Amino acid sequence: GIQVEQSPPDLILQEGANSTLRCNFSDSVNNLQWFHQNPWGQLINLFYIPSGTKQNGRLSATTVATERYSLLYISSSQTTDSGVYFCAVEGYSTLTFGKGTMLLVSP
Amino acid sequence: DTGVSQNPRHKITKRGQNVTFRCDPISEHNRLYWYRQTLGQGPEFLTYFQNEAQLEKSRLLSDRFSAERPKGSFSTLEIQRTEQGDSAMYLCASSGPTGGSRNEQFFGPGTRLTVL
């Protein structure tokens, strides 16, 4: 099956800093999604981005499908950005998740 | 609230008991998925329905697990003879709408199972 690797596994930032999270995947995909998992376990959709670049407020994402990677950018981080960020890819019909990046933003 | 809902949110049971979880997808979605997440890991796929048909099952879904979606709307996931290793967060997701090519999945809040 498809392998998904996320880096870094952990990230600690001061409030206001910028960060880049990376997702590498091992095969061609039909779909790529970024999620933020809050402390209660809810997965919140950030981006549906099989290719190209999208922006939503302080967050943006880029997927280069031909090179099998995606990047999530967080600018001017806030303490509420803390949590686990997951990349998930769909090969045929179901999502394969990476292990996530745990982000802690301190005041 | 038109999101995916799951019940119960928490379940504590003793080893050997049976448990059943329910998922109500977003109303216009025809695809429904079950995933399991253990501590420190990403969610792992268990099974997938398109309307009432169960189209795919993971090897993680042992014989003790069964899922149904009888009328193509809500789904249930039953675990028989629970084991301590079944302790996890069980997540449901849905996608659609019917005929659409975009397969963005939306997740419910999960059911956290603890087997004592």
Side-chain angles (χ1 to χ4, degrees), chain B residues 39-99:
Chain B
L39 198 61
Q41 302 296 316
E44 295 174 291
F45 166 72
L46 292 178
T47 190
Y48 152 56
F49 291 85
Q50 181 154 314
N51 300 312
E52 65 275 10
Q54 189 173 19
L55 296 187
E56 192 172 341
K57 292 194 288 187
S58 161
R59 287 174 294 178
L60 292 176
L61 211 67
S62 76
D63 291 345
R64 297 183 298 103
F65 288 69
S66 63
E68 293 183 344
R69 193 182 184 198
K71 297 181 180 179
S73 56
F74 73 92
S75 175
T76 58
L77 178 67
E78 181 183 17
I79 309 174
Q80 297 183 325
R81 305 181 303 281
T82 52
E83 301 173 356
Q84 288 183 325
D86 297 331
S87 296
M89 175 79 93
Y90 289 84
L91 294 163
C92 176
S94 70
S95 70
T98 303

Side-chain angles (χ1 to χ4, degrees), chain A residues 31 33 35 37 39-48 54 84 86 90 92-100, chain B residues 9 33 35 37 40-45 47-48 56 89 91 101-110 112:
Chain A
N31 170 18
Q33 292 185 242
F35 297 92
Q37 190 165 42
W40 297 272
Q42 174 77 59
L43 283 165
I44 299 164
N45 290 42
L46 297 177
F47 293 102
Y48 172 90
K54 291 186 178 180
V84 183
F86 286 105
E90 176 200 341
Y92 173 60
S93 57
T94 64
L95 290 176
T96 300
F97 283 76
K99 291 190 174 182
Chain B
R9 296 291 308 277
Y33 311 79
Y35 294 82
Q37 185 178 21
Q41 302 296 316
E44 295 174 291
F45 166 72
T47 190
Y48 152 56
E56 192 172 341
M89 175 79 93
L91 294 163
S101 59
R102 180 180 171 118
N103 196 35
E104 184 176 6
Q105 294 186 29
F106 295 85
F107 282 77
R112 188 173 296 280

Side-chain angles (χ1 to χ4, degrees), chain A residues 50-61:
Chain A
S51 64
T53 297
K54 291 186 178 180
Q55 181 155 6
N56 184 5
R58 296 181 296 103
L59 273 58
S60 63

Side-chain angles (χ1 to χ4, degrees), chain A residues 14-90:
Chain A
Q14 286 267 304
E15 200 167 25
N18 302 330
S19 61
T20 301
L21 283 56
R22 186 177 180 101
C23 171
N24 292 334
F25 45 96
S26 61
D27 206 343
S28 301
V29 297
N30 294 320
N31 170 18
L32 187 146
Q33 292 185 242
W34 283 97
F35 297 92
H36 176 211
Q37 190 165 42
N38 67 21
W40 297 272
Q42 174 77 59
L43 283 165
I44 299 164
N45 290 42
L46 297 177
F47 293 102
Y48 172 90
I49 187 166
S51 64
T53 297
K54 291 186 178 180
Q55 181 155 6
N56 184 5
R58 296 181 296 103
L59 273 58
S60 63
T62 295
T63 297
V64 184
T66 52
E67 297 187 21
R68 298 180 186 167
Y69 74 89
S70 183
L71 302 174
L72 177 68
Y73 305 96
I74 304 174
S75 64
S76 304
S77 57
Q78 301 175 357
T79 56
T80 52
D81 294 333
S82 296
V84 183
Y85 289 80
F86 286 105
C87 165
V89 302
E90 176 200 341

